[in-house]
Amino acid sequence: LEFYCALLNAQPMGFYTPASIVYEAMRKGVEIKNVCIVNSDKDCTIEGNAIRLGLSHVLSLGSVAAERVLAERLNSPFSTLKDFILRTALSKHQFEQLAQVGAFDCFGVSRREALWQVLSLVRQSGYELELVSASAGSELLPSMRPIDIVQSDIFGLSLSTGPHPMA
């Protein structure tokens, strides 16, 4: 575990991309957990018998935004998606990409529901009254197929913790 975690946290090394390292680790039986705004640190960490991907793997996030998320989480844990959005003040694109890669799964919402909520909440300030439920209409969203999840992961992380795209 330490070996793969160290490789994922290292600077890119030639043709060994993070995706190559993740798929090799998974082939060897190592569980790779997705990015999570509640559990992920900036870099990859070991959680029990698994490796948790770090916030630094989200392509649009960058180190400054990742540090902001961690600082806010250190002040107090994020209780809801709305709480996360209002406290971190990331860009719309960063919120969208976090939703698309499943970083908000910890709040019990699917990726599409999270994206729906992000798009409705990103325009609000903390002082506005919520007149329409952020989930209004999300029940009409179809579930993501496995290939949709892999595509979202690759678009936002350049890797996937799911099946290999060729599968």
Side-chain angles (χ1 to χ4, degrees), residues 3-164:
F3 173 72
Y4 291 115
C5 193
L7 284 177
L8 286 168
N9 290 333
Q11 296 298 319
M13 303 176 303
F15 56 88
Y16 292 112
T17 65
S20 300
I21 297 166
V22 164
Y23 291 128
E24 178 62 17
M26 289 170 41
R27 193 178 71 76
K28 298 278 187 171
V30 175
E31 180 185 2
I32 307 291
K33 293 184 177 183
N34 205 5
V35 174
C36 173
I37 57 124
V38 170
N39 297 313
S40 290
D41 286 336
K42 184 178 176 188
D43 293 323
C44 296
T45 55
I46 296 174
E47 280 186 15
N49 291 327
I51 295 174
R52 169 75 66 184
L53 290 179
L55 294 171
S56 62
H57 283 280
V58 179
L59 298 179
S60 69
L61 210 52
S63 61
V64 172
E67 293 293 337
R68 185 179 318 139
V69 168
L70 294 173
E72 281 297 324
R73 191 175 74 194
L74 190 60
N75 288 338
S76 70
F78 299 113
S79 57
T80 63
L81 182 54
K82 183 175 184 175
D83 177 43
F84 177 81
I85 290 171
L86 295 176
R87 287 174 43 202
T88 57
L90 302 176
S91 73
K92 178 183 172 191
H93 179 66
Q94 291 168 324
F95 287 130
E96 288 174 356
Q97 201 160 71
L98 285 167
Q100 289 175 334
V101 300
F104 300 124
D105 290 354
C106 54
F107 294 127
V109 294
S110 70
R111 292 175 186 216
R112 285 192 173 149
E113 290 175 77
L115 184 58
W116 183 275
Q117 289 184 28
V118 161
L119 293 174
S120 68
L121 292 170
V122 78
R123 296 176 303 228
Q124 292 182 3
S125 73
Y127 303 106
E128 290 182 43
L129 293 176
E130 189 173 331
L131 299 177
V132 179
S133 170
S135 63
S138 65
E139 65 276 356
L140 301 174
L141 298 172
S143 297
M144 290 181 86
R145 299 172 301 162
I147 189 65
D148 297 328
I149 293 172
V150 170
Q151 285 175 330
S152 290
D153 284 347
I154 291 173
F155 176 72
L157 301 168
S158 290
L159 59 90
S160 179
T161 57
H164 192 280

